Amino acid sequence: MTDIIAPGGGAAGAAPGSYVIQHIAHPRTVTHNTFMRLRTLGGLSVEGVTFRREKVLLLLAYLCIEGPQARRRLAELFWPDAANPMNSLAQHLVHLRSLPGALIEDGNRVASGVPCDAGVMRAAIREGRHADAVSEYRGAYLDALTIPLGPDLEEWVYETREALAREARGALITLAGHAAAHGHAAQASDLAARALLLDGAPPADELELPRLWHLLSLTAHPLAAQVEREARDLGLTLHAAPTPPTTLFVGRHAQLDVLSHLPPGQVAWISGHAGMGKTALLDALTRTGGWTALHGRGGAPYSTLDPLFRSPPSSPAAALHGLRDAHLRLGVDDWDSVDAASQAVIEAAARHRTGAAIVIAARLHPPFEVDVHLQLDVLGPDDLRDHPGLYDLTEGHPTLVAAALRGQPLDVRQGARVRALPAQVRDTYLMLALQDPPDLRATRKASGLSADTFALTLSHLTQEGLTAEGGHVYAAAAARELLEQVPVHAKLLHLKLARALGGMRAWPHYVAARDLWEDVDEDAAARAAGLRAAEDLRRGFPGRALEVLAAFGDRADLAVPHVWALVGVGRYAEALHRLDALDDRAAAAPAVQAARATVLVRLGRDAEALDLAQLISGSGPEAAQAASVLAHAARSREDWPGARHHSQIAADLWRLQGEEQQYVAELGLVAWARSYLDVTPDEAFQDVLPMAERFENVRGAIVLNYAKRLVEVGELGRSVTLMEQAGRDLERAGNTLAHAQTVINRGVLLHLQGHLPEAAALYREAIELLRGTGSVRTMGMALSNLSEIEGDLSAFEDVLGLLLRAEQTDLVMQIRRSARLVQRAQAPASPS
């Protein structure tokens, strides 16, 4: 984004001795009738009203342009030869009063009560809405008058006509300049031609002709030759025909508008780090026409300003004299490279505030007082709204935006700049790009730099426009693509970062650098993996946790999180095998015992699970998990008082540990149990649902259980809506297993209602979701229900055999109880 900064202290940039003109309001506020409008450009009429008295409408037009007037002044101007001018005025005012709200009378003064198109046009120009202003200009002012006018009134009409046409021409030239700045040469030439041929406008003057020629020459428009002849007849010097840009200029509309309207004698300064678009903005300004562009040159005195003179200036006074031309509009790029003599002359011109309008581009802030300071940063999303996806690709970095608009790969554009950096600076930059957000302390440690050197390196990268303050790399994806071209070096940088970061954030870097691990890295990587997996489990992403721990299947210190990840995806048999592989000492740990009890109860081996759970005491996480096991076993027996009791204990223990998400999850199970006891499902779940709003995964599971209870009490309509909501929550949370269970339950609802094709489609969707999860239990439910619909009894028995081999005995019994093979599709299985 870009800030426009004006110097403080009074009127910004006012020259010493200048005056500020203040608006003095009339004693009475004039309120216009917004329902009528006077048309004066290209005709004379009141919109929506049939009124043909030209002299009356001319009087109204005069009041619209000139504001409130004394009656005697109007009488003498409009009826200079009448025997009684005041009487003539009175008669016309009578007719004007027949237009409701058109006339405002205040004693001896009268004013217009309706707006007119000319006033609307002028207001639009003042507010910078040039396109709106041009749309109002439909022809010369009062061009259709047929009545005779006195000499003074006729002179006023012609002067006003020319003034309004000049203003409209100025708006057209401004629009043309903006089109040229943004690379739209054909549009710029068309607008310039309209400006040149505008109805009611006088011949273009010495300020307009060079700009019009410049804009028409962009496309070799036929009118360019005519303008060139007129300019040369006036002795004007025209520069070489401009070359259209190869890349569109985007954004910076407000900044370009400020610069293009810089008054004579004022100085504007554009500052920003490298690559922020200073030169591009200055070039765009030059393309608007009427500007002379100079690029900083070192060496001989006045070498930068030399193109302004026929022969090199011999003294500071001579050089300064060349900048006192009020018609000169000068752009100076790369101030740091401008020779010292030219810098001194430009600074002197800025102090005098007389002569040329000057715009300077530099990396640093202005060393002297200026009238306008534009500090450029990256472009914002609004600047690039006409180019969908461009902001996300480039983060608004002007250099990358230009490359993308040219169709150039960003890694190629950045690559040249990055490869030019010193090796140590380049590696620091690349390590910053590998992090989101970057950890400066770890990056300094990984780079092996001292604090002073690291600070200088960051400053250098910021000045080069490669990073923002704080080390954020612009469009880091492009830098990472560049790094992929040197994979071994990339792995080395990842390894350095992993060692410096430590903890959970080190894990992705250890993964990327796996081929370079040394012995010391094995344990550190395992610790990082354990922390990453624990965080994934806490957030309800067991599948992600399982992926993280897949490479550490033989480490006893990661057995517990590994088991919880397996439980989370429903791979209970594998979880039990993982625990069985531990030695006796490791197996006796309370955390391992709690995990084993959970696995056993999920496998339907409730007796063994209860024996283990009842041995766990205390108030830690293991005790909470043991209480949850007791609750699960009670639910399997449909012992709802016991399920509520033990889930409440588990909830209280989790709350004691500060585990809010686990606490809310257990309260959801308390609500589920209560819905079978003393309250309705609505009453049971009403308190816990708001608590689950912060935890998308937990909320999805609770809503799913709520929906299942509504099915059981016969409220199928509401249940369908809630199951769809649960599915969205679980899908967003990345809980594939629970999402698949929701899809199966939706299928069950349709299955029960006899909508077999729709149910089968949902079962197939669930099967696709479950591929790769390893959840034999849930896959078995989907397959068995689908087999019932398709009438494939052999497939049904194969599924049951699969579940038995996976030790899912309880589920097999449930399916056999609910599915009557003789009377198929009566009661499909749903996840518990």
Side-chain angles (χ1 to χ4, degrees):
M1 302 299 291
T2 310
D3 295 325
I4 301 177
I5 306 170
S18 63
Y19 295 93
V20 177
I21 301 175
Q22 297 181 347
H23 173 71
I24 302 175
H26 293 291
R28 176 170 175 166
T29 301
V30 176
T31 303
H32 286 112
N33 180 352
T34 59
F35 298 102
M36 288 195 301
R37 189 157 76 149
L38 182 65
R39 280 285 174 192
T40 61
L41 298 171
L44 182 58
S45 64
V46 178
E47 289 181 349
V49 177
T50 302
F51 190 95
R52 304 192 183 282
R53 294 180 177 272
E54 282 190 299
K55 196 71 174 270
V56 175
L57 292 180
L58 176 60
L59 175 61
L60 184 60
Y62 185 87
L63 293 173
C64 285
I65 291 292
E66 300 297 336
Q69 298 290 316
R71 293 174 187 262
R72 184 164 297 282
R73 160 68 180 150
L74 293 174
E76 292 172 352
L77 177 65
F78 277 77
W79 296 276
D81 299 326
N84 190 343
M86 290 296 289
N87 185 57
S88 298
L89 172 64
Q91 293 177 22
H92 283 73
L93 292 180
V94 169
H95 293 297
L96 195 53
R97 292 188 193 103
S98 68
L99 294 174
L103 186 65
I104 297 175
E105 301 180 76
D106 183 15
N108 192 40
R109 297 173 69 82
V110 292
S112 168
V114 296
C116 76
D117 51 2
V120 171
M121 185 193 82
R122 281 181 160 170
I125 292 173
R126 286 195 303 270
E127 296 167 8
R129 295 181 289 108
H130 305 292
D132 292 341
V134 168
S135 69
E136 289 291 338
Y137 194 87
R138 300 181 183 179
Y141 182 70
L142 300 180
D143 197 29
L145 280 179
T146 61
I147 56 175
L149 304 175
D152 291 344
L153 188 57
E154 185 177 41
E155 182 181 358
W156 175 83
V157 168
Y158 283 124
E159 288 179 352
T160 305
R161 180 178 297 163
E162 287 195 356
L164 288 169
R166 276 195 185 280
E167 292 172 36
R169 175 187 281 165
L172 279 166
I173 292 175
T174 297
L175 290 175
H178 278 250
H182 289 82
H184 305 300
Q187 182 184 2
S189 290
D190 288 345
L191 289 166
R194 285 179 58 189
L196 181 67
L197 303 175
L198 193 68
D199 288 345
D205 61 21
E206 67 274 11
L207 293 178
E208 294 169 330
L209 285 171
R211 291 199 69 188
L212 289 168
W213 179 81
H214 172 98
L215 295 165
L216 292 166
S217 298
L218 290 172
T219 58
H221 195 283
L223 289 174
Q226 172 188 326
V227 172
E228 184 176 8
R229 288 193 300 272
E230 293 178 9
R232 297 198 188 284
D233 288 345
L234 293 176
L236 300 176
T237 301
L238 299 176
H239 300 289
T243 302
T246 57
T247 303
L248 293 178
F249 177 76
V250 298
R252 313 290 194 208
H253 300 283
Q255 294 75 25
L256 188 62
D257 198 51
V258 168
L259 296 177
S260 62
H261 289 88
L262 191 70
Q266 291 201 359
V267 178
W269 189 280
I270 309 170
S271 67
H273 298 308
M276 289 298 117
K278 303 181 297 296
T279 298
L281 178 57
L282 203 56
D283 288 346
L285 178 66
T286 304
R287 289 197 296 272
T288 65
W291 289 84
T292 300
L294 300 177
H295 294 274
R297 299 179 185 175
Y302 311 115
S303 57
T304 300
L305 295 176
D306 186 60
L308 298 178
F309 303 93
R310 293 183 179 177
S311 58
S314 57
S315 66
L320 183 60
H321 180 75
L323 299 183
R324 286 182 175 163
D325 180 2
H327 293 161
L328 177 64
R329 299 168 70 76
L330 181 64
V332 181
D333 194 18
D334 195 8
W335 175 259
D336 300 332
S337 300
V338 173
D339 63 276
S342 294
Q343 284 187 345
V345 170
I346 294 172
E347 185 173 352
R351 285 197 303 271
H352 288 100
R353 294 293 195 278
T354 57
I358 303 174
V359 177
I360 302 168
R363 288 193 180 189
L364 301 178
H365 284 210
F368 51 84
E369 185 180 353
V370 297
D371 301 284
V372 176
H373 179 198
L374 305 181
Q375 189 171 350
L376 302 191
D377 202 339
V378 294
L379 297 164
D382 286 345
D383 296 317
L384 303 177
R385 61 181 176 273
D386 294 333
H387 303 272
L390 188 58
Y391 180 79
D392 293 335
L393 181 66
T394 64
E395 291 189 32
H397 193 292
T399 299
L400 300 180
V401 168
L405 290 173
R406 287 194 297 269
Q408 184 178 15
L410 300 192
D411 61 321
V412 173
R413 182 64 186 87
Q414 284 289 70
R417 301 179 68 201
V418 173
R419 281 188 288 271
L421 297 171
Q424 204 168 43
V425 176
R426 181 174 63 246
D427 281 358
T428 300
Y429 167 78
L430 292 172
M431 282 191 281
L432 290 170
L434 291 174
Q435 306 169 71
D436 185 24
D439 183 321
L440 296 185
R441 183 176 182 183
T443 306
R444 186 201 66 75
K445 184 179 178 182
S447 63
L449 300 176
S450 68
D452 289 347
T453 304
F454 184 67
L456 290 173
T457 300
L458 286 179
S459 177
H460 179 67
L461 291 173
T462 302
Q463 290 173 8
E464 289 299 315
L466 293 169
T467 65
E469 299 290 344
H472 171 75
V473 172
Y474 295 117
R480 290 192 285 269
E481 288 178 16
L482 172 67
L483 195 52
E484 287 175 2
Q485 300 171 17
V486 281
V488 175
H489 190 63
K491 291 176 181 179
L492 179 60
L493 295 181
H494 275 295
L495 185 59
K496 288 181 177 181
L497 275 174
R499 291 171 174 173
L501 283 164
M504 184 171 61
R505 291 195 63 193
W507 173 243
H509 299 289
Y510 272 123
V511 172
R514 187 183 297 274
D515 294 341
L516 300 184
W517 285 5
E518 298 177 358
D519 291 344
V520 69
D521 296 309
E522 294 285 345
D523 288 339
R527 286 193 297 273
L531 292 170
R532 177 69 266 172
E535 177 63 14
D536 286 336
L537 287 169
R538 187 187 68 79
R539 295 177 57 210
F541 300 118
R544 295 185 193 176
L546 196 58
E547 290 178 9
V548 169
L549 297 171
F552 302 99
D554 58 345
R555 291 187 66 102
D557 54 339
L558 294 179
V560 171
H562 195 183
V563 166
W564 287 119
L566 289 166
V567 168
V569 299
R571 290 158 61 174
Y572 308 128
E574 289 183 53
L576 186 59
H577 294 323
R578 181 75 163 91
L579 293 170
D580 287 342
L582 298 174
D583 59 34
D584 292 342
R585 181 178 178 183
V592 175
Q593 296 281 54
R596 179 181 288 274
T598 301
V599 172
L600 290 171
V601 81
R602 298 296 178 92
L603 286 169
R605 294 161 60 174
D606 291 4
E608 297 172 73
L610 292 174
D611 288 342
L612 281 175
Q614 289 166 353
L615 293 175
I616 298 173
S617 59
S619 59
E622 296 81 12
Q625 290 155 355
S628 188
V629 167
L630 297 175
H632 188 98
R635 285 195 298 273
S636 297
R637 300 190 305 271
E638 298 188 359
D639 173 13
W640 300 112
R644 179 177 65 176
H645 173 70
H646 291 297
S647 289
Q648 186 64 60
I649 291 174
D652 293 340
L653 290 173
W654 284 124
R655 193 175 197 183
L656 188 63
Q657 297 297 317
E659 294 287 349
E660 189 71 13
Q661 183 169 327
Q662 297 277 22
Y663 165 68
V664 175
E666 288 293 341
L667 286 184
L669 296 174
V670 171
W672 191 18
R674 288 187 62 213
S675 71
Y676 284 97
L677 295 171
D678 51 356
V679 295
T680 66
D682 290 340
E683 293 172 319
F685 286 93
Q686 66 180 356
D687 292 332
V688 72
L689 284 171
M691 299 172 66
E693 285 298 317
R694 292 183 295 129
F695 311 112
E696 203 165 43
N697 191 47
V698 171
R699 182 179 64 194
I702 293 174
V703 170
L704 177 57
N705 288 334
Y706 181 25
K708 288 163 65 177
R709 283 295 293 129
L710 290 176
V711 172
E712 293 169 353
V713 298
E715 297 191 37
L716 299 185
R718 291 175 59 203
S719 178
V720 170
T721 302
L722 288 172
M723 282 190 181
E724 291 173 349
Q725 176 190 331
R728 290 192 295 270
D729 285 346
L730 295 167
E731 184 178 16
R732 282 194 296 265
N735 192 334
T736 303
L737 178 62
H739 179 211
Q741 291 173 342
T742 305
V743 174
I744 294 172
N745 276 284
R746 289 169 54 203
V748 168
L749 286 178
L750 293 169
H751 198 156
L752 288 169
Q753 294 170 325
H755 303 302
L756 302 186
E758 294 87 346
L762 287 173
Y763 293 148
R764 292 190 187 95
E765 180 184 341
I767 289 167
E768 287 301 314
L769 286 171
L770 290 166
R771 294 188 190 281
T773 66
S775 178
V776 176
R777 181 183 182 90
T778 310
M779 180 72 83
M781 288 184 286
L783 288 169
S784 65
N785 291 347
L786 183 60
S787 299
E788 289 186 38
I789 291 176
E790 294 179 342
D792 189 345
L793 300 184
S794 61
F796 186 89
E797 289 297 337
D798 288 343
V799 171
L800 296 184
L802 173 68
L803 293 172
L804 285 170
R805 289 192 296 276
E807 302 181 43
Q808 299 287 339
T809 309
D810 65 326
L811 179 58
V812 172
M813 293 174 62
Q814 176 189 338
I815 292 174
R816 286 198 184 280
R817 284 196 307 266
S818 62
R820 300 290 184 261
L821 296 181
V822 179
Q823 301 173 349
R824 289 198 316 271
Q826 280 190 339
S830 60
S832 57

